[in-house]
Amino acid sequence: MATRRGPSAIPSEQAMKAAQRRMEPLSRASVTDTLRVTAQVMLPTLLGGVVKRRPRAMALAQKLQLDQRAIRLHQRLRRRYGSGPLRLRVPGRSFDLVLSPDEVGTLLAGTPSPFSPATKEKKAALGHFQPHGALISEGAERAERRKINETVLQPGREIHELAAPWAKAAAEAVEAMLRSGGELDWDTFNTQWWTIVRTVTLGGDTAEDREVTDTLAKLRIDANWAYAHPKRHRTEQPFLDLVRRQVALRRPGSLAAALASAPAEGDADPAGQLPHWLFAFDAAGIVVFRALALLATHPDELAEARRELGDADLTQPQQLPLLRASVLESVRLWPTTPALLRESRAETAWGPSNTSFLIYTPYFHRDAEQLPYADRYAPGIWLDGTAAENPALVPFSAGPGACPGRDLVLFTTSMVLGNLVQDHDFRLHGTELVPGRLPDTVDNFGLRFGVAGRG
């Protein structure tokens, strides 16, 4: 396995400041180029659904390959203005577009101070359903909420201590997905995926558990519009109350039970962290379905993954490095978080306090001018150290603000993927994935597979 980014890989404050001083002089984009960034990067990202994906918008994005246009625009801007941060001409805002991998590393290493993830846009969006989430908190509150997340989610541990019932739930859900036989589409997959998610997080799949996730889906649709959509207080508060009631059940083997038992101080609101975990698991389902499409169209890598699986009992927790790498590669090729945002809380070499920074992850993950593997399926980069050397390959963000659920998500997704491919063959219908020339945008809602048992 590749060396993972841990606390020892985070630069010291002195090193970070030195990195800032080495930055190239700030360039200012023309009005025309600012409009291009708005039209080709920001607008398609927003229309696709930042918090809750919009199926019709995703289908259009795949048809027009909108990510490809945005990536090429970034490449042109880098050639025109250099690799330093590019100040966009946004009225009333200090807003920078990040163009260099090193800048990505320095910004993420500087989380949460001086570069806070709790940006104006993020607070406005996520505040619709997780007003006390660690991601949009600051100062002492953020530190306490982050500590709770890490205590429960156990980052750095490939198999969570509660994983045994989750492995069984994954195996049963995959069996239900394939029970109808012949074909697997997004709706069938997603229905069973959420059964797994509710088991992992809440400890069951009762009507009340389903109400939690159904209501969250509605609130996330509102959250797509951030401050452009008024909050539904009559929906939000009952939703949060229901979440707290379900957490208080402390059902054995669930994250909710661990959350209810986690030590907390002040206004940490442990139960208030759970909506974000549900939100993140939605993206994880998208990643699994795309990873299945990659394995279905890359027979050599699929055969290697099956050799790793062997006849392992997947009703029991397993370490599956190759399938974990397949999941990571799915996120690299098609990031589920296309825009990473940071906002400075002090004056830095990049600009004044409250400067906003946009990291467009598809550009850094698919820049063919910099990455020889940009447009091919290359899970090996997550195993041989190649990915770890690039500070801009950030499928789960990086630095002190990296996703604390990284290992939990990789365990769940790799177990589901293993259950799918161990005894079944999948043929992708309707979407073309040509090895070595993979598209920059893939609509997960449109993926459809023919299914046949092996042997």
Side-chain angles (χ1 to χ4, degrees):
M1 287 291 290
T3 301
R4 294 180 52 199
R5 297 187 185 98
S8 61
I10 299 170
S12 66
E13 184 176 352
Q14 184 177 4
M16 189 182 69
K17 289 180 178 179
Q20 293 182 42
R21 288 194 293 271
R22 291 195 298 270
M23 287 288 295
E24 295 183 15
L26 190 71
S27 300
R28 186 175 293 274
S30 67
V31 172
T32 300
D33 282 334
T34 297
L35 292 174
R36 288 191 178 108
V37 171
T38 302
Q40 297 181 38
V41 180
M42 297 181 183
L43 190 58
T45 299
L46 292 172
L47 291 178
V50 176
V51 181
K52 178 70 173 172
R53 300 292 183 274
R54 298 183 175 99
R56 290 183 181 178
M58 288 299 299
L60 181 62
Q62 176 177 289
K63 182 178 180 179
L64 300 178
Q65 286 298 298
L66 295 181
D67 288 315
Q68 181 183 87
R69 299 183 185 198
I71 293 166
R72 289 178 177 175
L73 173 62
H74 275 75
Q75 292 170 332
R76 291 196 300 271
L77 294 174
R78 182 181 61 207
R79 291 192 292 268
R80 183 174 303 162
Y81 295 101
S83 59
L86 181 61
R87 177 66 48 83
L88 302 178
R89 295 181 184 270
V90 178
R93 294 282 298 275
S94 202
F95 200 104
D96 294 353
L97 184 68
V98 180
L99 295 173
S100 160
D102 289 337
E103 294 167 13
V104 174
T106 304
L107 279 165
L108 298 182
T111 301
S113 178
F115 304 112
S116 173
T119 65
K120 298 179 182 68
E121 291 79 11
K122 207 176 295 182
K123 287 180 178 179
L126 301 186
H128 281 271
F129 61 89
Q130 53 166 75
H132 297 160
L135 196 60
I136 55 174
S137 303
E138 305 205 55
E141 283 186 344
R142 180 192 186 278
E144 182 64 20
R145 290 166 181 169
R146 174 79 187 191
K147 183 171 70 174
I148 291 170
N149 277 266
E150 293 180 350
T151 297
V152 176
L153 300 178
Q154 300 181 353
R157 184 167 181 163
E158 290 195 1
I159 298 182
H160 196 283
E161 66 183 7
L162 301 175
W166 305 344
K168 184 178 180 181
E172 291 175 348
V174 170
E175 183 181 358
M177 286 179 204
L178 304 178
R179 192 168 293 150
S180 59
E183 187 169 285
L184 179 65
D185 61 15
W186 170 256
D187 288 340
T188 302
F189 169 84
N190 197 44
T191 297
Q192 295 302 324
W193 171 254
W194 276 104
T195 300
I196 300 169
V197 172
R198 286 187 287 265
T199 300
V200 171
T201 55
L202 298 169
D205 193 30
T206 66
E208 290 78 11
D209 298 323
R210 292 190 291 275
E211 184 181 351
V212 168
T213 52
D214 290 347
T215 305
L216 176 60
K218 296 174 184 176
L219 291 170
R220 287 173 53 211
I221 291 172
D222 295 345
N224 277 337
W225 299 102
Y227 27 61
H229 195 292
K231 285 191 175 184
R232 297 180 188 266
H233 295 290
R234 293 183 179 179
T235 303
E236 178 192 356
Q237 193 54 54
F239 164 73
L240 295 173
D241 291 341
L242 178 59
V243 168
R244 292 187 175 94
R245 289 198 300 273
Q246 297 307 100
V247 168
L249 294 176
R250 297 176 181 247
R251 283 176 282 189
S254 69
L255 292 177
L259 194 58
S261 302
E265 298 179 3
D267 297 324
D269 188 15
Q273 309 311 303
L274 192 136
H276 187 77
W277 304 348
L278 295 171
F279 163 44
F281 266 119
D282 188 27
I286 294 172
V287 170
V288 175
F289 214 50
R290 289 171 173 166
L292 180 62
L294 287 166
L295 288 171
T297 51
H298 292 79
D300 290 344
E301 287 80 1
L302 175 59
E304 191 174 354
R306 281 177 171 158
R307 282 193 292 272
E308 175 184 77
L309 284 167
D311 58 358
D313 179 5
L314 295 182
T315 64
Q316 301 297 319
Q318 305 288 334
Q319 289 183 321
L320 303 170
L322 288 176
L323 289 177
R324 287 168 67 98
S326 297
V327 170
L328 287 165
E329 187 66 349
S330 171
V331 191
R332 179 189 72 83
L333 289 163
W334 305 297
T336 51
T337 304
L340 291 178
L341 300 175
R342 291 294 185 270
E343 196 170 274
S344 64
R345 292 293 177 257
E347 183 178 357
T348 70
W350 287 280
S353 180
N354 296 320
T355 296
S356 297
F357 299 88
L358 170 61
I359 300 169
Y360 184 67
T361 52
Y363 158 62
F364 291 104
H365 288 194
R366 300 293 298 272
D367 182 6
E369 294 179 358
Q370 304 289 327
L371 306 177
Y373 49 81
D375 298 326
R376 63 182 175 87
Y377 177 48
I381 66 172
W382 302 100
L383 302 172
D384 64 10
T386 299
E389 294 173 356
N390 188 329
L393 293 187
V394 286
F396 288 88
S397 191
C403 175
R406 178 186 191 274
D407 288 289
L408 173 61
V409 168
L410 288 175
F411 167 77
T412 309
T413 52
S414 63
M415 289 294 292
V416 171
L417 201 54
N419 275 282
L420 284 165
V421 303
Q422 188 178 42
D423 296 318
H424 290 83
D425 288 317
F426 294 84
R427 182 178 296 276
L428 182 63
H429 296 316
T431 301
E432 189 174 16
L433 297 186
V434 179
R437 293 189 292 111
L438 294 172
D440 292 287
T441 307
V442 167
D443 169 27
N444 59 285
F445 301 107
L447 295 177
R448 185 168 51 85
F449 300 90
V451 185
R454 298 180 66 212

